[in-house]
Amino acid sequence: MEKEQRDELVNALRQISAGNYHPHIPVRGNASYRQLSAAILDVGNSFEKHFQQERLLGSITEKINDGLLLEEILNHVFQSFREIIPYHRISIALLDKDNKKLRSCCVRSDATKIKIAKGYSAPLEGSSLANIIATGKPRIINDLRNYLKKHPLSTSTKLIVAEGMRSSLTCPLIATHEPVGLIFFSSMQTDTYKNIHISLFQKIARQLSVTLEKSRMYEELMQLNELKNRFLGIAAHDLRSPIGVIKNFIILFLNGYLGEIDDKQREVLSTMDKNCDRMLNLIHNLLDLSAIESGKLELKPEPLDLQKFFHTYQSMTKSLAEQKQIELTLNIEPDLPDIMVDSNRIMQVLDNLVTNAIKFSHPNTTVTISARKRNGLVEISVADHGQGIPPDEISKIFKEFSKTSVRPTGGEKSTGLGLAIVRRIIEAHNGTIEVDSTVGKGTTFTINLPIGN
Ligand SMILES: Nc1ncnc2c1ncn2[C@@H]1O[C@H](COP(=O)(O)OP(=O)(O)OP(=O)(O)O)[C@@H](O)[C@H]1O
Ligand SMILES: [Mg+2]
């Protein structure tokens, strides 16, 4: 072979490795040159196919990472893999908890009448599918009608043949080493599937198994969360009464009903009383969280006169603010409409925001509660000139038990539950809450509530 021809072939190979899968090779030269160039073009074709497969498999991973559901991912597979593999129908069947039945959970088919639809279930025992589950090995049937003649009792084969399918490839779905179900690819032509198809179909099956595993884990997590809420609710509920009893006895002592007490004893009893209040406060918060999380938060909406509401709140809370030399001011737009809300819950929200503002501000600053009507909503804000929250910590403040590096200025206690409860109460009212904060300048929480009927 001449040097020029050799260079042409080397150049063609270089182009393939750079991603041009169909390089131009002039048709000339002797038989061995032509043979080599044909082989190189074949390599290009098979590289292209491989690349396309990897791209499509990668697109399944992307959909899984985007959190799409199994049905949506199966839709994507059904639409996009046609370019490279043959099928007219894809379906998934999952094993039930005790591995006795297979239930069809999603079906995509070109057939006009679906005979095995979502929800169809059949016992595994005695079925040929049991073997695929037991061995984990895929199975190809290249003539379903012929198979039916040999296995006339197979109802599912009868139904799939009635849908117009003539050949099938079945792969097990395996999640964390356990078989969880099967994926069926079927074609309207006989002899569609060959052993070379198996590895790609298995790769698709493996990707889909990841989604199955994810949704199973999510379900388990939800159950555990439910259990946690119930436990939290019961524990908090059962602690409330005995602490209430202890607090009542302390008050009896403090009021001298159980005999004279001296100053030292009074001091100790007062500390015990304050700690009981803290425990009761925490218990109320835990009960609230557990009720809200398990969907048992019941709102009692009624019309609320906002002017009166804010003034009452200000007079109740003024002294708490003054203990830290903080001024609590109001900036309420006149003529605000009444809003339909659960006033106790909205009071709880306001109190959480204002006590936070006081807790995280230095003395000689101001905390302002504002309210105005805006775009058909009522906007309520609580602004302080306190420490502010660092931008990278803002995202966690509404999560339960999460605190930031900002600490209370007067040694107040901080559990990290207040804002988690606030957010949920506001969302239960179909409202929104936002925060705007600058370190060293202060923080403003803004709530928007619908006016309601
Ligand atoms: N006005 C504010 N200024 C600065 N930081 C704040 C302010 N409000 C909340 N934070 C930060 O957000 C965290 C979460 O607030 P949240 O009200 O949920 O909990 P907490 O006040 O610490 O405890 P709890 O409300 O349960 O008594 C606080 O610990 C604090 O770090
Ligand atoms: Mg708080």
Side-chain angles (χ1 to χ4, degrees):
M1 197 183 304
E2 289 169 18
K3 180 176 180 307
E4 196 188 339
Q5 292 177 347
R6 223 175 33 236
D7 285 350
E8 270 166 14
L9 295 181
V10 170
N11 185 34
L13 279 170
R14 286 213 175 104
Q15 282 194 50
I16 290 174
S17 75
N20 172 14
Y21 301 118
H22 306 285
H24 174 69
I25 309 178
V27 187
R28 61 184 163 108
N30 58 18
S32 62
Y33 174 86
R34 285 205 302 276
Q35 209 178 357
L36 259 176
S37 62
I40 288 172
L41 290 176
D42 276 353
V43 168
N45 281 333
S46 88
F47 262 51
E48 183 182 36
K49 215 166 153 198
H50 200 72
F51 178 73
Q52 205 181 3
Q53 275 184 19
E54 291 305 314
R55 184 175 53 78
L56 286 171
L57 285 168
S59 72
I60 305 184
T61 314
E62 263 171 41
K63 304 269 173 219
I64 294 173
N65 291 341
D66 284 351
L68 292 195
L69 301 173
L70 185 63
E71 292 237 6
E72 295 164 316
I73 294 172
L74 193 70
N75 263 345
H76 168 70
V77 171
F78 191 66
Q79 278 154 20
S80 46
F81 277 80
R82 281 181 188 281
E83 312 164 23
I84 54 167
I85 40 174
Y87 51 79
H88 297 102
R89 182 189 205 279
I90 306 182
S91 64
I92 290 178
L94 296 181
L95 282 168
D96 65 358
K97 277 207 179 90
D98 46 11
N99 290 358
K100 290 227 158 71
K101 275 186 171 175
L102 268 170
R103 179 180 296 275
S104 166
C105 78
C106 15
V107 182
R108 294 293 172 274
S109 174
D110 291 339
T112 40
K113 270 204 178 142
I114 309 275
K115 302 280 182 184
I116 301 184
K118 179 176 173 174
Y120 172 90
S121 94
L124 186 64
E125 207 185 304
S127 131
S128 60
L129 299 173
N131 195 38
I132 305 178
I133 297 274
T135 60
K137 288 205 175 103
R139 178 189 71 180
I140 291 175
I141 300 179
N142 266 323
D143 189 342
L144 284 166
R145 279 187 297 193
N146 202 11
Y147 181 85
L148 186 59
K149 270 186 212 147
K150 289 187 192 147
H151 304 84
L153 296 178
S154 169
T155 318
S156 51
T157 312
K158 206 179 290 168
L159 293 170
I160 207 94
V161 167
E163 263 190 42
M165 301 303 147
R166 297 293 174 260
S167 52
S168 74
L169 188 150
T170 309
C171 287
L173 291 166
I174 295 164
T176 43
H177 312 294
E178 289 288 327
V180 290
L182 296 166
I183 179 162
F184 305 89
F185 299 89
S186 325
S187 154
M188 289 177 171
Q189 269 98 45
T190 53
D191 294 312
T192 303
Y193 300 109
K194 317 241 169 344
N195 283 336
I196 51 157
H197 288 123
I198 288 183
S199 82
L200 177 59
F201 282 111
Q202 270 178 320
K203 280 183 192 161
I204 298 176
R206 267 199 292 275
Q207 300 273 57
L208 292 173
S209 303
V210 174
T211 312
L212 284 171
E213 185 55 12
K214 258 184 150 177
S215 46
R216 198 186 56 74
M217 278 163 69
Y218 181 74
E219 217 168 86
E220 250 173 40
L221 264 177
M222 293 308 283
Q223 278 170 3
L224 278 175
N225 199 32
E226 175 70 37
L227 200 70
K228 176 211 75 182
N229 287 335
R230 238 184 306 152
F231 173 74
L232 214 65
I234 293 169
H237 185 265
D238 288 358
L239 279 170
R240 188 168 53 177
S241 312
I243 294 172
V245 172
I246 295 170
K247 183 175 164 69
N248 285 340
F249 277 121
I250 292 171
I251 290 170
L252 288 180
F253 269 119
L254 278 172
N255 288 335
Y257 293 128
L258 301 174
E260 285 293 304
I261 52 169
D262 61 27
D263 287 351
K264 184 84 200 146
Q265 289 166 331
R266 179 171 302 282
E267 200 185 314
V268 172
L269 285 165
S270 298
T271 310
M272 285 168 73
D273 185 39
K274 273 196 203 116
N275 278 293
C276 279
D277 284 343
R278 270 186 51 209
M279 276 195 274
L280 285 171
N281 191 30
L282 177 64
I283 285 169
H284 285 140
N285 279 342
L286 289 175
L287 278 171
D288 270 352
L289 259 188
S290 127
I292 294 170
E293 278 213 7
S294 53
K296 290 189 198 121
L297 176 74
E298 275 182 29
L299 296 181
K300 295 189 191 83
E302 53 189 1
L304 178 67
D305 174 343
L306 287 167
Q307 285 287 347
K308 213 163 120 195
F309 174 77
F310 287 121
H311 281 98
T312 311
Y313 181 76
Q314 186 193 31
S315 54
M316 268 165 43
T317 317
K318 230 177 173 162
S319 66
L320 178 84
E322 279 165 1
Q323 282 169 26
K324 278 185 88 173
Q325 284 98 50
I326 288 174
E327 195 188 353
L328 181 61
T329 62
L330 290 184
N331 177 15
I332 313 297
E333 199 177 75
D335 303 326
L336 275 180
D338 284 2
I339 55 172
M340 280 298 284
V341 288
D342 184 323
S343 55
N344 287 331
R345 290 294 181 184
I346 296 299
M347 178 71 89
Q348 189 181 357
V349 165
L350 185 64
D351 193 47
N352 265 306
L353 295 180
V354 172
T355 48
N356 274 356
I358 296 171
K359 190 176 356 179
F360 298 103
S361 290
H362 293 293
N364 302 316
T365 55
T366 311
V367 171
T368 308
I369 304 172
S370 313
R372 58 177 179 160
K373 195 175 155 202
R374 201 164 166 250
N375 302 330
L377 301 166
V378 166
E379 182 191 271
I380 300 168
S381 62
V382 175
D384 64 51
H385 298 96
Q387 305 170 77
I389 305 165
D392 57 336
E393 299 188 70
I394 284 267
S395 62
K396 64 178 180 187
I397 61 172
F398 291 105
K399 294 193 185 122
E400 351 11 51
F401 296 108
S402 72
K403 300 183 251 180
T404 70
S405 54
V406 186
R407 307 307 314 139
T409 52
E412 294 97 329
K413 297 291 172 242
S414 149
T415 321
L417 283 177
L419 288 177
I421 296 170
V422 163
R423 194 196 64 187
R424 286 166 199 200
I425 294 176
I426 292 300
E427 284 172 357
H429 280 86
N430 296 320
T432 57
I433 177 160
E434 279 164 24
V435 55
D436 182 24
S437 190
T438 310
V439 173
K441 288 229 161 86
T443 305
T444 302
F445 284 89
T446 307
I447 290 167
N448 273 294
L449 283 170
I451 293 169
N453 300 318

